[in-house]
Amino acid sequence: MDRPLRYEQAYPASQLLPDLEPANDIPAGPKVSARQKMFALKRGMSERQSKLGSIRATTLNFRNMHEHGTLLAKYLETRKAIFIDRLKWQIGEVDGMEFDQYDTPACRWVILHEFGEVIGGVRLLPTSARCGMYTYMLRDAQKGILPGMPTDVLFFEAPVNPKVWEASRFFIADSVPSARRMAVQHELFYQMTVNAEEGGASRILGIVPSIWARWSRRLGVGAAPVGAKFAIEGSYSQSVLFNIKNDSD
């Protein structure tokens, strides 16, 4: 399995995001796609499926959210329970739901749920998105327009490219028992990757807990740190790049 890259291997940006640079000097990628390698983990599908039980994955957007009843509201309520109630983040809240300026028609919400209970989720947003003065979280932090977030969240200039998507608000609900937690983490990461790839992404910039290296090894996911660790209300996060597809695939 691929191991996460060391800090010094994260430079320069052209090695991480070759489609943002002239490609003349870049060697061809391997024949086996990064996504195939990452999800060779699907080989243990039967064991994980037994742990997933009746968990379903639903991707919501502004076009289809009316088809899924109160699922979006429950997802935003769960985000509040985690990011505001437990982690004490000073972020937007209305009527028991957490939200911010990036919950727009440009985003997708990937939600895991079981028997009406939301147990995991992640928000996806193309780095080419724009809503008023805002683009996406990492770029806006780098530009200095997000109070409470440092500007050195990335080691390179934040990309604006439809092939690069940002993943944020990644969570597994506290109600998920430890015996199921890794299977749920894997399923959420898998669904996130499938959705981003369907949207045209070949890479995902993720804002993840600073212990990301530990769970990425458990999941067999190759990733590279691409920014300094930073604190939000006492909890530490880091920017990480996931290559999910070779551009030649």
Side-chain angles (χ1 to χ4, degrees):
M1 293 181 180
D2 294 342
R3 296 180 66 82
L5 298 179
R6 293 168 57 83
Y7 168 88
E8 57 267 24
Q9 292 175 288
Y11 289 91
S14 60
Q15 293 176 347
L16 293 170
L17 301 166
D19 51 321
L20 304 185
E21 301 286 339
N24 298 343
D25 302 331
I26 298 168
K31 297 297 182 183
V32 179
S33 74
R35 184 168 173 271
Q36 282 177 312
K37 282 201 246 180
M38 277 199 294
F39 295 109
L41 11 148
K42 278 282 169 181
R43 286 182 301 220
M45 181 71 161
S46 57
E47 180 182 350
R48 280 191 302 277
Q49 197 61 48
S50 66
K51 292 182 179 180
L52 289 173
S54 300
I55 292 174
R56 297 179 59 192
T58 300
T59 301
L60 296 184
N61 55 46
F62 272 70
R63 286 288 187 186
N64 72 357
M65 61 184 179
H66 68 282
E67 300 172 2
H68 298 277
T70 60
L71 183 59
L72 179 60
K74 290 181 177 179
Y75 160 75
L76 296 176
E77 288 170 354
T78 308
R79 274 181 28 180
K80 175 188 176 292
I82 291 174
F83 295 105
I84 295 179
D85 297 344
R86 178 161 64 82
L87 297 178
K88 308 301 181 184
W89 289 12
Q90 301 299 309
I91 49 182
E93 172 195 355
V94 169
D95 197 21
M97 296 177 286
E98 182 269 307
F99 71 99
D100 66 17
Q101 61 268 41
Y102 305 107
D103 293 299
T104 72
C107 82
R108 300 182 184 190
W109 303 282
V110 181
I111 305 170
L112 298 185
H113 53 102
E114 184 177 38
F115 305 126
E117 179 186 6
V118 172
I119 62 173
V122 63
R123 178 178 60 198
L124 292 170
L125 187 68
T127 61
S128 54
R130 177 177 288 275
C131 183
M133 65 180 288
Y134 298 105
T135 57
Y136 63 96
M137 191 179 297
L138 286 172
R139 185 167 185 260
D140 292 344
Q142 191 178 70
K143 290 163 59 180
I145 62 174
L146 294 183
M149 284 192 69
T151 58
D152 60 347
V153 290
L154 290 172
F155 296 140
F156 48 82
E157 184 177 354
V160 177
N161 190 311
K163 290 185 177 182
V164 184
W165 285 37
E166 179 185 68
S168 59
R169 294 295 198 271
F170 191 104
F171 71 86
I172 304 296
D174 296 337
S175 60
V176 178
S178 58
R180 302 180 78 191
R181 206 162 187 88
M182 189 163 68
V184 172
Q185 287 173 343
H186 171 267
E187 186 64 18
L188 183 55
F189 193 91
Y190 176 74
Q191 295 294 338
M192 173 188 77
T193 302
V194 168
N195 272 277
E197 187 174 351
E198 287 177 350
S202 59
R203 294 165 181 82
I204 296 176
L205 278 173
I207 304 172
V208 297
S210 60
I211 59 170
W212 66 271
R214 186 172 67 192
W215 58 255
S216 69
R217 283 194 295 268
R218 288 204 310 264
L219 298 178
V221 173
V226 291
K229 293 180 181 180
F230 59 92
I232 303 177
E233 305 296 334
S235 60
Y236 286 85
S237 300
Q238 190 170 21
S239 304
V240 172
L241 180 73
F242 302 99
N243 288 331
I244 62 172
K245 182 180 178 183
N246 290 330
D247 292 326
S248 58
D249 285 355

